[in-house]
């Protein structure tokens, strides 16, 4: 009698779960006997229950089982638990299977679904930490924050963790390693611009801006600079206003990586200099509607002015 193995996911999670399922079944002695895009329930069960004498532990994979419709009641009676079965029918569904498989059969089946990943930042970070813990590799806090902020898709995060685990030097994943391996070259230039400004690194800022001007529109750059440095401006001024740093970060919905860099900027630039820079970004945004070249000039001069203002400031 066959057992059902149900994968309920969309790509790219579906492919990953299929790979994991086949690897696990292979370790139990099963092997793929056939794979098809479409099938018929009756033919599928007939094939699965009439294996050859020397083919006792077979897997039959169906990629689009929705096309077969609901499992017929007579066939539902033939399904048993995987522990008892010599054949596995592995069905790759994209969503809820209750429309196709009766609940009493689902209880006998093996079901694999993607992780439910929280949408809020702290929850996503804890989820990432859980994945990292299984690898035995240590991560810098900044590396985790950057990965969470920069990559949205959970499957891509898992893939990047696998890659970083393999390439980690001395068993440690650093913030720089994530930046170098997980951020594409165009985005890396923008990230370097933001981080270089927050860290007061003039050479990195100038080099990054030169590349960005060749490849990007001015408005996204202005928006990113405004968002990051406006947070720094409020953080620089929070003590004088009697506000708590945590309240400001919460009000802005700042992610940990963004907050870390903005807090650093608030320590090396004055509130006055940051306020002037934020005003210049607003000016550049308005100017962009008439002449983008002029907006770039405003951005460049504002960056240099802010970097020069840090002279004499305690770091």
């Amino acid at each position: 009698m066959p057992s059902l193995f149900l994968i309920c996911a969309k790509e790219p999670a579906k492919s990953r779960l299929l790979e994991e399922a086949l690897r696990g079944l292979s370790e139990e002695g099963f092997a793929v006997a056939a794979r098809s895009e479409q099938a018929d329930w009756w033919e599928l069960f007939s094939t699965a229950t009439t294996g050859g004498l020397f083919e006792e532990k077979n897997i039959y994979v169906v990629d689009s089982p929705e096309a077969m419709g609901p499992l017929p009641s007579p066939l539902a009676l033939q399904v048993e638990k995987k522990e008892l079965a010599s054949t596995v029918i592995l069905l790759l569904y994209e969503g809820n299977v209750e429309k196709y498989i009766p609940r009493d059969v689902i209880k006998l089946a093996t079901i694999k679904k993607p992780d439910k990943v929280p949408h809020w930042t702290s929850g996503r970070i804890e989820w990432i930490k859980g994945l990292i813990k299984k690898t035995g590799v240590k991560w810098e806090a900044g590396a985790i924050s950057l990965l969470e902020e920069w990559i949205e898709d959970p499957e891509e995060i898992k893939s990047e963790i696998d890659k970083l685990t393999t390439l980690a030097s001395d068993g440690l994943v650093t913030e720089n390693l994530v930046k170098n391996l997980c951020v594409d070259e165009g985005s890396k230039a923008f990230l370097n611009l933001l981080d270089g400004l927050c860290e007061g690194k003039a050479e990195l800022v100038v080099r990054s801006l030169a590349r960005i001007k060749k490849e990007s529109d001015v408005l996204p750059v202005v928006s990113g600079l405004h968002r990051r440095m406006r947070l720094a401006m409020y953080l620089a001024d929070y003590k004088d206003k009697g506000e708590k740093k945590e309240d400001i970060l919460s009000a802005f919905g700042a992610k940990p990586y963004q907050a870390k860099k903005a807090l650093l900027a608030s320590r090396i630039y004055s509130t006055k200099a940051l306020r002037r820079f934020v005003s210049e970004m607003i000016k550049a945004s308005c100017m962009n509607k008439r002449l983008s070249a002029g907006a770039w000039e405003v951005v460049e001069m504002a960056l240099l002015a802010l970097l020069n203002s840090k002279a004499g400031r305690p770091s």
Side-chain angles (χ1 to χ4, degrees):
M1 294 292 186
S3 172
L4 298 188
F5 197 124
L6 312 175
I7 290 179
C8 312
K10 295 183 178 180
E11 294 293 358
K14 181 190 289 186
S15 294
R16 177 182 60 81
L17 291 172
L18 174 60
E19 182 181 346
E20 291 177 359
L22 292 177
R23 184 167 58 246
L25 288 168
S26 175
E27 292 172 356
E28 296 178 26
F30 287 88
V32 176
R35 181 170 182 174
S36 60
E37 282 289 335
Q38 295 182 350
D40 173 83
W41 280 116
W42 293 96
E43 291 181 4
L44 181 62
F45 267 70
S46 175
T47 302
T49 55
T50 57
L53 181 61
F54 301 105
E55 299 175 318
E56 296 184 351
K57 305 191 82 172
N58 289 327
I59 306 170
Y60 295 88
V61 182
V62 180
D63 286 291
S64 303
E66 290 89 350
M68 297 193 299
L71 175 66
S73 298
L75 296 180
L77 298 174
Q78 298 184 32
V79 176
E80 59 186 0
K81 292 184 178 180
K82 182 165 69 69
E83 293 78 10
L84 304 175
S86 59
T87 302
V88 172
I89 297 175
L90 201 160
L91 306 169
L92 302 176
Y93 285 98
E94 288 209 343
N96 197 327
V97 299
E98 290 191 359
K99 178 179 178 181
Y100 305 99
I101 309 295
R103 290 187 179 183
D104 55 339
V105 177
I106 290 176
K107 292 178 181 179
L108 299 174
T110 303
I111 303 179
K112 294 292 182 182
K113 298 180 180 181
D115 296 340
K116 288 187 177 180
V117 184
H119 296 294
W120 58 95
T121 299
S122 60
R124 278 167 55 87
I125 286 178
E126 288 304 312
W127 174 73
I128 291 173
K129 286 181 177 178
L131 296 177
I132 290 169
K133 189 175 182 181
K134 299 174 184 177
T135 68
V137 173
K138 294 182 179 179
W139 282 55
E140 290 181 350
I144 297 174
S145 297
L146 178 57
L147 185 70
E148 186 279 327
E149 180 171 337
W150 208 254
I151 299 180
E152 183 69 25
D153 182 68
E155 289 301 314
E156 189 176 352
I157 288 176
K158 288 184 176 183
S159 176
E160 294 299 331
I161 288 175
D162 290 341
K163 177 175 69 179
L164 292 163
T165 298
T166 303
L167 299 175
S169 166
D170 299 323
L172 176 67
V173 175
T174 64
E175 185 177 303
N176 280 337
L177 189 63
V178 174
K179 185 182 293 187
N180 290 333
L181 297 182
C182 302
V183 182
D184 63 74
E185 289 301 318
S187 299
K188 190 190 300 181
F190 183 47
L191 183 59
N192 282 337
L193 175 67
L194 291 174
D195 291 354
L197 186 60
C198 289
E199 296 164 6
K201 296 179 178 177
E203 182 180 347
L204 181 58
V205 169
V206 172
R207 187 171 65 247
S208 301
L209 183 64
R211 172 165 185 165
I212 290 170
K213 287 173 68 175
K214 297 176 183 178
E215 302 176 353
S216 176
D217 294 331
V218 67
L219 193 56
V221 177
V222 169
S223 298
L225 287 167
H226 176 269
R227 188 163 51 248
R228 178 75 69 88
M229 303 317 287
R230 184 176 65 143
L231 177 57
M233 177 186 73
Y234 279 102
L235 287 170
D237 202 31
Y238 81 91
K239 290 181 180 178
D240 297 335
K241 301 294 185 182
E243 298 285 347
K244 292 182 179 180
K245 176 183 65 177
E246 291 75 16
D247 292 339
I248 293 173
L249 296 175
S250 176
F252 277 84
K255 290 180 174 287
Y257 185 83
Q258 176 191 17
K260 172 188 171 183
K261 297 299 182 180
L263 186 59
L264 182 59
S266 74
R267 292 170 178 162
I268 64 175
Y269 303 117
S270 68
T271 305
K272 181 179 179 180
L274 288 165
R275 188 176 293 120
R276 185 166 55 244
F277 180 85
V278 170
S279 297
E280 288 297 291
M281 292 304 99
I282 297 173
K283 175 182 174 182
S285 179
C286 295
M287 184 174 290
N288 178 62
K289 297 178 180 178
R290 293 173 296 158
L291 185 64
S292 61
W296 276 121
E297 184 177 346
V298 171
V299 170
E300 188 167 358
M301 296 306 296
L303 288 168
L304 293 175
L306 183 60
L307 288 164
N308 289 331
S309 76
K310 75 184 179 73
R313 288 287 318 267
S315 56

